[in-house]
Amino acid sequence: MNSGVSEIAREVDHAFLLVGIATGLMLLGITVVMVWFVIKYSRKKSKRVVNIEGHRLLEITWIVIPTIIVTWMFFVAYEGFGMMRQPPDDAMIVQVTGRQWAWEFAYPEEKITASEMVVPVNRAVKALITAPVDDVLHSFYLPDFRVKEDAVPGRETYLWFKAEREGEFNIFCAEYCGKDHAKMRSTLRVVSNDAYRAWVKGQIAKRYKPLEFSGFENPKHPAFGKEDLNIDSTKLFGTYCASCHGEAGDGSGLPGEARNFQSDKDWKNGTRVSDIFKTLIDGIEDTQMRSFPNLTPWERVALAHYVRAFQTGALQHDTQESYDALIKEFELDKITGPGETISVERAMEILSEEAAAEQARDAEATPK
Amino acid sequence: MANHSAEMHEHAEHGHYDPMANKIGMWTFLFTEALLFGALFIAFFVYLSTNTGDFLDCSSELNRIMGAINTVVLLTSSLTMALAIAALQRGNKRLSLNLMLMTLVFAAVFLIIKYFEWSHKIHLGIYPKSELMVNRAQGDQLFYGLYYTMTGLHGLHVAIGAVLILIAMRKVQTGGVHKTKFSFIENVGLYWHLVDLVWIYLFPMFYLIGR
Amino acid sequence: MNTQVKTAASSSPVPDYIRASKGIWSWLTTTDHKRIGLMYFVVMISLFVAAMGMAVTFRLELFSPGEQLFESDIYNRLLTLHGVVMIFLFIIPGIPAVFGNFFLPIMIGAKDVVFPRLNLLSWYCFVVGALIALFSVTLGGIDTGWTFYVPYSQKTDLNVLVPILAAFIIGWSSILTGINFIATTHRMRVKGMGFFDMPLFVWSLYATGWIQILATPVVGITLLLLVFEKFVGVAIFDPAAGGDPILFEHLFWIYSHPAVYVMILPAMGVVSEIIPTFARRTIFGYKTIAYSSIAIAGIGSLVWAHHMFTSGMVDEARIVFSFLTFFVAVPSGVKVFNWLATLYKGSIELRSPMMWCLMFIFLFSIGGLTGLFNASLSIDIHLHDTSWVPAHFHYTIFGGAVVILFAACHYWWPKIFGRMVNERIAIGTCIGFFIGFNLTYMPLFFAGTAGMPRRYADYLPEYTIYHRLSTIGAVILATSILIMIINLVRSISKGKIAPANPWQGATLEWTVPSPPPTLNFTGEPDTSRGAYEYPVEVSDG
């Protein structure tokens, strides 16, 4: 037991000790008396019994004294509970979401999310705990801090703690939640104020690339060339996808309508990069998912990887066969890779083409 | 001695007639039934307190006239059942049978009215997981969830009660239950009153709380 | 004061209940409370051995961190099935269904329970429920935990309908038995036996009967609602439709907490029979023990939400339920003190039933006292849903109710089968059980305080030592129990012929032959001696 990690933990351990001593003495008393009587009044030694039917005063005593003891215990433990349920007003807020089978920590002020919990030392932290309405019960448990509270779908519960020393501590899910209940763990890192600020800064920097890869990492396929493709997929996602699918890809932009990229269930066209690539060209019939013909093939490749990564939390390359099929079908090997620079002439050409197209559109829009 | 023992054996094998024991057994059973509905009442009042507005709105959608007619029907049936028992105790087998038949008719009327209420609601598209239902407010979904569950369960009890009355009629006819041995019909009566009593609570809870 | 008025079965003119009629059909259609009790026993003990096998299996998986024998979904199903079978099919029917059925009528001088056919119906409900539960295993079992908490039970792909149906039907068995016992106690007592002349086992069965009929319907309807919601789509607990999963927890525990008193109260009744018999003196504080049964039943019905201190329920409710919970410890403690006082100035013989009883006092005291930690609000916030809770639960229910079920087996076996059990092996298994039991569950208390959550198929390496010890203990424990069962079964054919009153007991069942005749008493019950009336001079019987 890491006693003394917080005031609450100390208080709980103190209550534990008091109740432990009291109950320990009672157990000792019961056992000693029992063994003593069994030896003293064994059949061999005791041939005459005394049929005592009761003793009112004695019985009243052993009703009243335990009653007093348990009442005392109630107040001993109540003190710590009062402390647990009164977070200081200046506590820092962390939103904790439990889903099968991972914890997510959102810092509303800094607008960042993480899969581990990082807090500064000596600062009260209030965890607002919930679970998505289509999820199940979980319980947010910090054993070293002696606190836990259930994550109830569609409700918000809370607990708070103030870590008094730096270190790494276990986070468990304590309410049975299915197959990987035992693996629903995370880490609470208590760090110095400076380290915390640095971490937040890092997270903010990552916010625009919240997935574990920056830009678009080269799938190392001959067709893609050897250099990294310099596309900011996060920005692309923000521009084209986030308004419906939400910044976290959970479908929260257009609730109930847009696909939740974090779930692997019921993808109409499949979840491979090539599948998503196709969807970006064709859209999905009878839904609000439209086509995005204006994206370059490389942007589509980058976005498809990005969307796919929501399920795993990190960039995941497709199988070689999938890439081969994609390249073959869309003749990607015949298109100039985006990593290459283009000549000034080609740039002029593109610009003039775009200008001409704009003029044509304007002309069309003008009533005749 | 052997003869006496055989007689006792006979006695125990078929259970002996102890109206008091039967009454104690029935009353304890009624406790169970009351608690069965009790749990549902708890659920109802918890949700009523968290979704008051929705519950009141939904309550107004129910047909109060039909509910009221059903209340009168069930109350009257309770009366006829009680009279049937009294008649049997006075030895008037024929009157008792007729009164039980009337009780059965009331039970049928109750179920038919209930059937119309339900089918009308279902016709309107108000039933669990219907397209209309899932798009309504959460309180509405809970209200109708409980409405169907509780009136359904109550309806089931009415049906079971009716079957029991049928059995009681048969027993009275064949003489298995008679003037001095009326535990069975008395217990059926108790059960029927419970069914009635539950409805007396269900009616205001679902039909009358609305505006 | 001669208790051996009636001689053994062989010289009795009336055949005993086992030989009264032959053939499987005569058993399946019997309304004899003794035969029904025995039939319960056969079904229950088989299920117990099966569920124990499951527990040993998942304990072996937990021997080391990581995956040893099977994946987590198999672990979760074994865990659930162990809980469901042990709780709904073994320990809730438990002592009342077997020993209550067998001895309640005899102890009050009756020929049978007041509704014998209803009694048989209860047995059939139980067996049908058990068969349905076993059938559900062939469908893949369930992985919800025995508590069936929503929304997980609504979301799991496994079939929850079938096991819930099983629990529902078994609930009826429980209710009908409760009704039967209450009415029997009121109406079937032999002339001259008042409520305060009844043996304390009867008192405890009476209190249990009330809990059964008052609490079982609540869980029945709750499980039914769960089924309605899952299969009909009625919105009740689903958070997406505004439902409240915490309401399910409340409704579930309104039954399931009193259910632990259904498990333990009859056991306490048995202890109040065995201890006076082997201390050969009257029970200390008869009325206090009788009233404490009622007090436990009463207070025990008001403390359910102490299972929910971290559920997100409002703080005020947690405070109230914590406060109330502490007071249920008092009547339980009073019973322990009274039993200890019964040893005082007695003449104690350490036979196997008594050994089991003394072991019960020790184990149950640990179970009860560790319960005080759980009742303590702030401590429970830490301990809730850690392995501390299963440890506490097993100390009270396994170390309490099941130990006493074993004690009752050894105590009443001579009466039920007319044969004595091999005493040496019995005491040996008793000691083996004690060692195995403490080794299995004691480490779990320490793992729990160190933060090891329960229902984990895998764990961090820092908890390895606790799990290792526990697994070794479980193997010792299971071995002892198996030897004990073999010893009991073997005695039915090989044991020495038992006299009518091998232990010099004072209650009515010892005045009738072993095994008793179908109608229990060959003449009028001999009520000249009180249930706890013992001679001052001890003679070795």
Side-chain angles (χ1 to χ4, degrees):
Chain A
M1 283 210 226
N2 292 305
S3 203
V5 139
S6 72
E7 202 187 350
I8 292 174
R10 268 198 306 279
E11 180 62 36
V12 171
D13 289 353
H14 177 66
F16 191 98
L17 188 70
L18 289 180
V19 176
I21 290 170
T23 53
L25 285 175
M26 281 189 253
L27 179 67
L28 189 72
I30 289 168
T31 314
V32 166
V33 168
M34 182 169 78
V35 172
W36 175 41
F37 282 177
V38 167
I39 294 171
K40 182 154 187 222
Y41 302 109
S42 76
R43 178 67 46 88
K44 285 197 192 85
K45 291 179 204 159
S46 168
K47 294 286 180 196
R48 271 183 78 84
V49 302
V50 183
N51 280 313
I52 307 163
E53 296 204 334
H55 187 285
R56 183 165 292 180
L57 188 67
L58 196 60
E59 289 183 74
I60 288 173
T61 315
W62 68 45
I63 291 172
V64 172
I65 290 182
T67 308
I68 294 169
I69 294 176
V70 295
T71 313
W72 165 76
M73 278 183 193
F74 168 77
F75 285 105
V76 165
Y78 173 74
E79 205 143 309
F81 180 72
M83 208 184 271
M84 281 176 188
R85 302 311 293 166
Q86 283 158 4
D89 294 335
D90 61 345
M92 169 187 138
I93 302 285
V94 180
Q95 287 164 338
V96 180
T97 306
R99 38 169 73 89
Q100 286 173 318
W101 291 275
W103 292 105
E104 185 188 273
F105 305 96
Y107 295 70
E109 258 175 59
E110 291 84 4
K111 293 206 175 71
I112 51 177
T113 55
S115 61
E116 59 169 5
M117 193 177 190
V118 180
V119 298
V121 72
N122 286 324
R123 171 99 194 261
V125 178
K126 184 178 180 184
L128 301 175
I129 305 155
T130 189
V133 284
D134 59 349
D135 213 271
V136 304
L137 293 172
H138 302 280
S139 192
F140 181 62
Y141 181 28
L142 295 166
D144 298 293
F145 294 83
R146 313 281 186 260
V147 285
K148 80 161 69 70
E149 193 76 18
D150 286 8
V152 184
R155 274 204 181 198
E156 193 179 79
T157 57
Y158 72 91
L159 58 77
W160 80 276
F161 60 91
K162 187 161 109 180
E164 292 175 4
R165 65 176 170 79
E166 295 172 29
E168 291 200 359
F169 303 95
N170 288 328
I171 293 174
F172 290 132
C173 172
E175 182 64 66
Y176 177 73
C177 59
K179 185 169 161 288
D180 283 336
H181 170 52
K183 297 199 174 87
M184 194 166 158
R185 299 187 289 247
S186 184
T187 308
L188 169 69
R189 277 204 293 130
V190 179
V191 297
S192 68
N193 266 318
D194 292 342
Y196 175 70
R197 271 195 294 275
W199 178 79
V200 169
K201 236 176 167 179
Q203 290 294 311
I204 290 174
K206 264 204 217 162
R207 192 167 70 205
Y208 296 103
K209 304 166 185 113
L211 298 172
E212 298 285 310
F213 59 101
S214 61
F216 170 62
E217 204 177 296
N218 197 330
K220 309 283 186 261
H221 189 277
F224 294 103
K226 294 208 170 47
E227 300 299 314
D228 274 357
L229 303 167
N230 198 15
I231 297 170
D232 190 339
S233 36
T234 314
K235 202 169 161 194
L236 276 178
F237 187 84
T239 314
Y240 293 106
C241 316
S243 59
C244 294
H245 295 282
E247 266 187 69
D250 57 358
S252 63
L254 210 65
E257 311 247 346
R259 149 140 303 278
N260 173 1
F261 292 137
Q262 293 172 359
S263 152
D264 59 353
K265 286 193 184 121
D266 308 325
W267 285 64
K268 291 203 177 72
N269 294 352
T271 59
R272 293 176 311 169
V273 166
S274 53
D275 298 329
I276 302 168
F277 187 96
K278 259 182 249 177
T279 306
L280 285 169
I281 294 179
D282 302 335
I284 299 175
E285 259 182 56
D286 299 330
T287 69
Q288 297 193 35
M289 177 65 195
R290 62 178 182 92
S291 63
F292 293 88
N294 49 336
L295 290 172
T296 69
W298 303 114
E299 285 171 334
R300 259 181 238 129
V301 169
L303 261 182
H305 277 92
Y306 191 87
V307 165
R308 218 171 111 76
F310 278 114
Q311 281 171 53
T312 50
L315 172 68
Q316 205 184 10
H317 287 132
D318 242 348
T319 58
Q320 203 63 34
E321 293 77 42
S322 170
Y323 283 128
D324 289 342
L326 177 72
I327 288 157
K328 201 171 160 214
E329 186 172 352
F330 296 99
E331 299 181 327
L332 292 183
D333 46 353
K334 298 196 177 128
I335 303 168
T336 318
E340 296 167 15
T341 48
I342 51 170
S343 64
V344 178
E345 282 160 58
R346 175 74 187 124
M348 294 296 286
E349 220 172 281
I350 293 169
L351 283 173
S352 58
E353 266 171 27
E354 275 179 11
E358 206 164 319
Q359 275 175 355
R361 266 205 304 279
D362 285 350
E364 246 174 75
T366 322
K368 285 174 187 170
Chain B
M1 178 69 197
N3 195 14
H4 175 59
S5 164
E7 197 180 283
M8 290 206 312
H9 190 83
E10 176 89 346
H11 202 61
E13 286 287 286
H14 296 106
H16 64 150
Y17 178 66
D18 180 351
M20 191 59 189
N22 294 343
K23 214 178 252 182
I24 292 173
M26 191 63 198
W27 273 105
T28 41
F29 177 73
L30 292 182
F31 272 128
T32 353
E33 286 282 11
L35 277 147
L36 189 88
F37 280 100
L40 288 166
F41 287 158
I42 293 174
F44 180 89
F45 285 109
V46 166
Y47 288 145
L48 173 65
S49 70
T50 52
N51 301 276
T52 314
D54 292 342
F55 266 50
L56 300 189
D57 291 345
C58 285
S59 171
S60 320
E61 289 175 16
L62 295 180
N63 192 328
R64 267 182 211 170
I65 296 171
M66 286 208 185
I69 293 174
N70 257 351
T71 310
V72 174
V73 166
L74 263 196
L75 276 173
T76 321
S77 77
S78 240
L79 177 69
T80 52
M81 190 64 211
L83 289 175
I85 297 165
L88 189 76
Q89 283 167 336
R90 291 209 181 81
N92 196 338
K93 196 167 139 184
R94 203 181 169 73
L95 179 62
S96 174
L97 281 171
N98 284 338
L99 282 163
M100 277 196 271
L101 191 67
M102 278 173 74
T103 316
L104 272 184
V105 171
F106 284 129
V109 169
F110 178 88
L111 288 176
I112 290 166
I113 291 179
K114 203 77 236 160
Y115 168 77
F116 279 118
E117 280 190 74
W118 272 38
S119 52
H120 178 63
K121 282 276 172 290
I122 291 169
H123 180 73
L124 291 178
I126 301 172
Y127 55 90
K129 284 279 175 271
S130 72
E131 214 169 309
L132 180 70
M133 211 61 237
V134 290
N135 290 321
R136 286 182 66 163
Q138 291 186 335
D140 296 12
Q141 298 186 39
L142 292 173
F143 182 87
Y144 281 109
L146 286 167
Y147 170 74
Y148 280 113
T149 310
M150 292 175 83
T151 57
L153 201 69
H154 177 259
L156 183 70
H157 276 76
V158 172
I160 292 171
V163 172
L164 287 174
I165 293 171
L166 263 179
I167 296 171
M169 286 173 73
R170 176 90 194 131
K171 284 197 172 196
V172 170
Q173 229 159 17
T174 56
V177 170
H178 50 76
K179 192 178 170 185
T180 50
K181 192 183 169 195
F182 50 82
S183 249
F184 185 81
I185 183 174
E186 204 178 36
N187 283 343
V188 170
L190 280 175
Y191 186 83
W192 193 251
H193 296 322
L194 177 93
V195 169
D196 183 24
L197 187 72
V198 170
W199 179 256
I200 288 176
Y201 282 97
L202 290 183
F203 175 58
M205 276 163 61
F206 283 105
Y207 292 81
L208 298 184
I209 56 170
R211 297 173 186 105
Chain C
M1 284 294 163
N2 183 3
T3 52
Q4 283 177 288
V5 200
K6 307 288 178 288
T7 45
S10 51
S11 58
S12 169
V14 198
D16 66 62
Y17 75 102
I18 297 175
R19 291 176 192 81
S21 50
K22 284 202 171 63
I24 185 94
W25 193 245
S26 78
W27 284 83
L28 291 178
T29 57
T30 186
T31 53
D32 182 349
H33 63 103
K34 298 182 287 302
R35 286 188 158 204
I36 292 173
L38 213 52
M39 294 199 298
Y40 269 113
F41 187 69
V42 172
V43 180
M44 273 168 42
I45 210 76
S46 332
L47 289 165
F48 170 77
V49 171
M52 182 173 80
M54 293 171 207
V56 173
T57 313
F58 69 67
R59 275 253 54 101
L60 289 174
E61 161 64 33
L62 290 173
F63 189 70
S64 299
E67 228 166 65
Q68 264 69 238
L69 307 172
F70 36 76
E71 289 178 16
S72 61
D73 55 341
I74 301 289
Y75 174 89
N76 293 340
R77 285 179 219 191
L78 278 175
L79 188 85
T80 305
L81 209 58
H82 167 77
V84 169
V85 171
M86 281 296 193
I87 288 175
F88 291 109
L89 292 168
F90 175 65
I91 197 63
I92 287 181
I95 292 173
V98 180
F99 298 103
N101 253 320
F102 202 107
F103 290 107
L104 168 74
I106 309 186
M107 281 180 151
I108 58 174
K111 295 183 199 72
D112 206 322
V113 291
V114 71
F115 309 123
R117 279 176 300 180
L118 191 68
N119 203 15
L120 184 63
L121 178 66
S122 310
W123 184 77
Y124 274 104
C125 281
F126 176 68
V127 171
V128 169
L131 288 176
I132 293 175
L134 291 181
F135 171 67
S136 85
V137 179
T138 65
L139 299 177
I142 40 164
D143 64 343
T144 59
W146 78 273
T147 50
F148 302 113
Y149 269 14
V150 293
Y152 185 71
S153 53
Q154 305 284 20
K155 289 196 65 171
T156 176
D157 299 327
L158 292 166
N159 191 328
V160 297
L161 176 65
V162 177
I164 282 179
L165 190 69
F168 191 77
I169 294 173
I170 291 163
W172 278 105
S173 161
S174 193
I175 291 172
L176 296 179
T177 304
I179 290 175
N180 217 337
F181 283 4
I182 290 172
T184 302
T185 310
H186 274 288
R187 298 298 297 168
M188 300 291 279
R189 274 172 288 126
V190 67
K191 218 175 160 195
M193 183 187 273
F195 254 71
F196 287 102
D197 301 320
M198 298 190 308
L200 287 162
F201 182 47
V202 178
W203 264 105
S204 70
L205 289 172
Y206 182 73
T208 308
W210 276 106
I211 309 179
Q212 280 172 324
I213 63 156
L214 294 177
T216 316
V218 180
V219 78
I221 191 68
T222 309
L223 295 180
L224 217 55
L225 288 177
L226 200 159
V227 169
F228 281 168
E229 176 154 42
K230 188 167 173 115
F231 297 96
V232 187
V234 176
I236 299 185
F237 301 119
D238 181 12
D244 185 357
I246 297 177
L247 180 67
F248 177 89
E249 295 179 34
H250 274 295
L251 292 176
F252 182 83
W253 288 113
I254 285 177
Y255 163 74
S256 298
H257 188 73
V260 308
Y261 301 107
V262 170
M263 305 173 199
I264 198 68
L265 269 180
M268 291 170 156
V270 175
V271 176
S272 305
E273 298 306 322
I274 295 180
I275 288 187
T277 303
F278 290 93
R280 208 65 72 77
R281 57 148 283 186
T282 193
I283 188 98
F284 185 94
Y286 175 96
K287 280 201 177 173
T288 323
I289 296 182
Y291 283 134
S292 66
S293 288
I294 304 294
I296 289 175
I299 306 174
S301 301
L302 302 172
V303 300
W304 72 85
H306 67 217
H307 295 266
M308 300 163 57
F309 285 163
T310 71
S311 69
M313 149 177 97
V314 293
D315 295 344
E316 290 76 10
R318 303 185 209 199
I319 294 164
V320 171
F321 278 104
S322 163
F323 189 71
L324 287 171
T325 299
F326 275 109
F327 291 99
V328 87
V330 175
S332 307
V334 165
K335 280 184 189 251
V336 171
F337 300 140
N338 276 290
W339 293 324
L340 288 182
T342 304
L343 297 175
Y344 178 68
K345 293 198 172 168
S347 172
I348 299 159
E349 194 180 14
L350 276 184
R351 303 297 293 269
S352 52
M354 186 64 163
M355 295 273 288
W356 283 102
C357 269
L358 297 178
M359 181 180 6
F360 159 87
I361 292 183
F362 180 74
L363 298 180
F364 183 74
S365 296
I366 295 183
L369 292 170
T370 50
L372 292 174
F373 291 83
N374 292 115
S376 307
L377 262 178
S378 63
I379 304 175
D380 187 65
I381 300 272
H382 172 46
L383 295 178
H384 181 73
D385 271 335
T386 67
S387 66
W388 172 284
V389 177
H392 155 71
F393 181 76
H394 281 85
Y395 263 93
T396 52
I397 299 305
F398 193 2
V402 183
V403 159
I404 289 308
L405 188 109
F406 293 162
C409 283
H410 289 88
Y411 182 59
W412 278 314
W413 209 259
K415 181 55 62 188
I416 296 174
F417 293 106
R419 302 284 187 142
M420 299 303 287
V421 181
N422 183 317
E423 186 70 5
R424 268 210 188 153
I425 303 176
I427 288 181
T429 52
C430 184
I431 293 168
F433 180 97
F434 185 75
I435 295 167
F437 185 93
N438 286 302
L439 196 54
T440 308
Y441 299 111
M442 193 61 85
L444 297 184
F445 281 125
F446 292 97
T449 49
M452 169 75 214
R454 70 191 289 198
R455 294 173 171 169
Y456 262 30
D458 187 16
Y459 51 86
L460 294 178
E462 61 212 69
Y463 299 109
T464 310
I465 180 68
Y466 309 115
H467 285 286
R468 287 257 154 105
L469 289 173
S470 180
T471 302
I472 294 167
V475 173
I476 299 174
L477 184 58
T479 314
S480 310
I481 293 172
L482 286 180
I483 297 173
M484 182 202 77
I485 293 173
I486 292 167
N487 185 37
L488 286 171
V489 172
R490 195 175 151 275
S491 77
I492 297 175
S493 55
K494 301 271 166 64
K496 279 192 289 182
I497 300 285
N501 191 0
W503 317 120
Q504 309 298 306
T507 37
L508 278 176
E509 79 269 27
W510 303 112
T511 65
V512 301
S514 307
T518 301
L519 294 173
N520 300 341
F521 298 92
T522 41
E524 283 302 306
D526 174 15
T527 50
S528 57
R529 184 181 175 185
Y532 301 101
E533 233 173 68
Y534 288 89
V536 174
E537 295 291 342
V538 174
S539 60
D540 285 315

